Amino acid sequence: MTPPSPPRILIVEDEHIVARDLQQQLEELGYATVGHAVCGEQGLAMATELRPDLVLMDIQLSGTHDGIEAAQQIRATLALPVVFLTAFAADEVLARAKLTEPFGYILKPFTERELRTVLEMALYKHQAERGLAEGAAQLRALSRRVLEVQETERRRLALELHDELGQSLTAIKINLQSQARFRSISPEALGLENIRIVDDALQQVRRLAMALRPSMLDDLGLAPALRWLAEQAAMRSGYELQFQALMPALRLAPEIETTFFRIAQEALTNVARHAQASQLEVVLQQSDEDLVMSINDNGRGFDPQASRGLAVAGASLGLLGMQERAMLIGASLIVEASPGHGCMLLLSCPLPARGGQA
């Protein structure tokens, strides 16, 4: 396993001797210095070009921008953490510095221990803030997606009810009216026609209900419902299916069965739309400790990191939605894929003790 890269730090300090000493201390502490700027304008330019993990910024700098002004621009345009260095602790300086939301404040002279403590806290705080920001962006994207899916599903149901079920009921109404107006049509013929139309309407209602939630998931459990789902997908897409379920006859908690089914449904939909696969393997296995589902295809694959980036931007939310579903039941979802080498999805959920199962 490749060790993590050391944090990259940009020094902005107009005293060359101080900057050289600071660089030596940072490297002895295990950090990597990516550059040294001597004024605020240069610090902003180097931060834009190098994108360090943190900027150590002297407050008193020569040039048109002091350290506080430079830090303000770096935070606003690059969202990088800034730690101030200064030999002055005047109240007015501190008041101005606070407005830039710095991640730390080090008074000269300082010890290596003080430097390391402030830097580690600043890096940790920045990582936590970035995680919160990404989580908030994902939540907003998911919320938009939920609304879009709701409207799409409502529109589809409205069209199906109007175009199919509505037409069937209209045909029955016309037949009933014809019985009174047209004596040439026998009641038996009209009755048979009405029965046929009612049968068609019942099939339409069953199909709509199955699309909303397969009854076999409630009646028979996860394994039969998942087999039906995979076989239906294979029939439509034309790939070769291998399905295996190694599970006891006991039923699982409804939220676990529903989550596994919906994640499989999303994954199989993605395979049909994008993978161009010829083979698919679905394995469902339950032990005393956990329930595991794997879905493997030999399709063209994709870049999971790029897909997550699109999800945060609201462009593609399939993977993000599956991860959100898994998280809600305490499950872990791993997706391994690369362009040209297919895709493997692994969903694992810890199970309660045998006595706690439904």
Side-chain angles (χ1 to χ4, degrees):
M1 183 176 179
T2 305
S5 302
R8 303 166 62 252
I9 297 178
L10 172 65
I11 300 171
V12 185
E13 167 64 64
D14 56 0
E15 295 288 342
H16 289 276
I17 295 177
V18 174
R20 186 168 61 248
D21 180 63
L22 187 57
Q23 179 178 353
Q24 182 178 349
Q25 290 187 63
L26 290 171
E27 291 175 355
E28 289 176 354
L29 290 171
Y31 300 103
T33 55
V34 298
H36 168 219
V38 297
C39 63
E41 297 89 342
Q42 187 184 20
L44 176 59
M46 292 182 69
T48 303
E49 178 185 357
L50 300 173
R51 295 297 174 113
D53 297 311
L54 183 142
V55 179
L56 265 176
M57 178 78 69
D58 187 19
I59 289 182
Q60 301 295 326
L61 294 172
S62 58
T64 57
H65 294 328
D66 66 4
I68 295 175
E69 292 171 318
Q72 196 165 20
Q73 293 189 39
I74 289 173
R75 286 285 290 152
T77 60
L78 304 176
L80 294 177
V82 176
V83 170
F84 283 126
L85 293 168
T86 186
F88 303 94
D91 291 341
E92 62 272 14
V93 174
L94 287 173
R96 284 186 60 219
K98 287 178 182 178
L99 297 176
T100 67
E101 300 179 353
F103 281 69
Y105 200 94
I106 302 177
L107 285 175
K108 302 175 185 177
F110 50 83
T111 65
E112 285 192 356
R113 181 177 180 180
E114 290 172 333
L115 179 63
R116 183 184 186 89
T117 300
V118 173
L119 293 182
E120 288 299 309
M121 291 299 295
L123 290 167
Y124 175 80
K125 180 183 176 184
H126 177 60
Q127 184 179 16
E129 283 191 359
R130 186 168 55 186
L132 287 173
E134 291 176 355
Q138 291 180 354
L139 183 59
R140 288 193 297 270
L142 279 173
S143 297
R144 289 195 302 269
R145 180 59 176 165
V146 166
L147 293 176
E148 291 171 3
V149 168
Q150 285 179 341
E151 290 303 317
T152 300
E153 189 67 10
R154 287 169 180 169
R155 190 180 301 112
R156 185 184 70 82
L157 288 173
L159 287 173
E160 295 231 17
L161 289 171
H162 177 271
D163 294 346
E164 296 188 22
L165 191 58
Q167 289 184 6
S168 297
L169 294 174
T170 300
I172 294 173
K173 179 181 177 181
I174 292 172
N175 281 347
L176 292 174
Q177 292 173 338
S178 298
Q179 186 173 1
R181 290 201 304 257
F182 303 105
R183 302 298 181 183
S184 58
I185 304 176
S186 68
E188 291 79 7
L190 285 174
L192 291 174
E193 177 68 13
N194 287 337
I195 290 173
R196 184 192 65 77
I197 295 173
V198 169
D199 285 338
D200 290 343
L202 287 173
Q203 291 298 323
Q204 293 163 11
V205 171
R206 290 193 186 101
R207 192 180 71 252
L208 286 173
M210 185 69 74
L212 291 173
R213 182 177 175 87
S215 59
M216 67 178 64
L217 183 60
D218 296 318
D219 298 338
L220 302 179
L222 178 60
L226 197 59
R227 180 185 293 275
W228 170 83
L229 178 67
E231 290 175 349
Q232 291 292 312
M235 189 181 305
R236 289 192 301 269
S237 301
Y239 50 70
E240 178 185 343
L241 172 67
Q242 294 183 6
F243 182 90
Q244 188 176 19
L246 304 174
M247 297 181 64
L250 296 175
R251 292 295 300 270
L252 297 165
E255 62 271 18
I256 294 178
E257 293 189 341
T258 299
T259 297
F260 271 68
F261 183 86
R262 292 306 185 192
I263 289 178
Q265 191 175 42
E266 178 70 26
L268 294 176
T269 299
N270 290 338
V271 171
R273 288 178 178 173
H274 309 295
Q276 299 179 1
S278 60
Q279 294 180 342
L280 183 80
E281 180 186 50
V282 179
V283 178
L284 188 65
Q285 187 168 2
Q286 180 182 345
S287 68
D288 290 339
E289 292 80 22
D290 58 11
L291 176 67
V292 179
M293 177 178 69
S294 65
I295 300 177
N296 296 272
D297 71 72
N298 67 342
R300 63 180 185 176
F302 66 99
D303 182 353
Q305 192 63 35
S307 179
R308 291 187 184 94
L310 290 172
V312 172
S316 176
L317 293 169
L319 181 57
L320 184 59
M322 289 190 286
Q323 289 175 330
E324 186 73 11
R325 282 186 181 272
M327 184 180 66
L328 290 175
I329 62 167
S332 64
L333 179 68
I334 299 173
V335 177
E336 294 182 357
S338 60
H341 295 87
C343 176
M344 185 278 291
L345 179 147
L346 185 67
L347 177 63
S348 176
C349 179
L351 297 177
R354 181 72 71 183
Q357 290 182 348

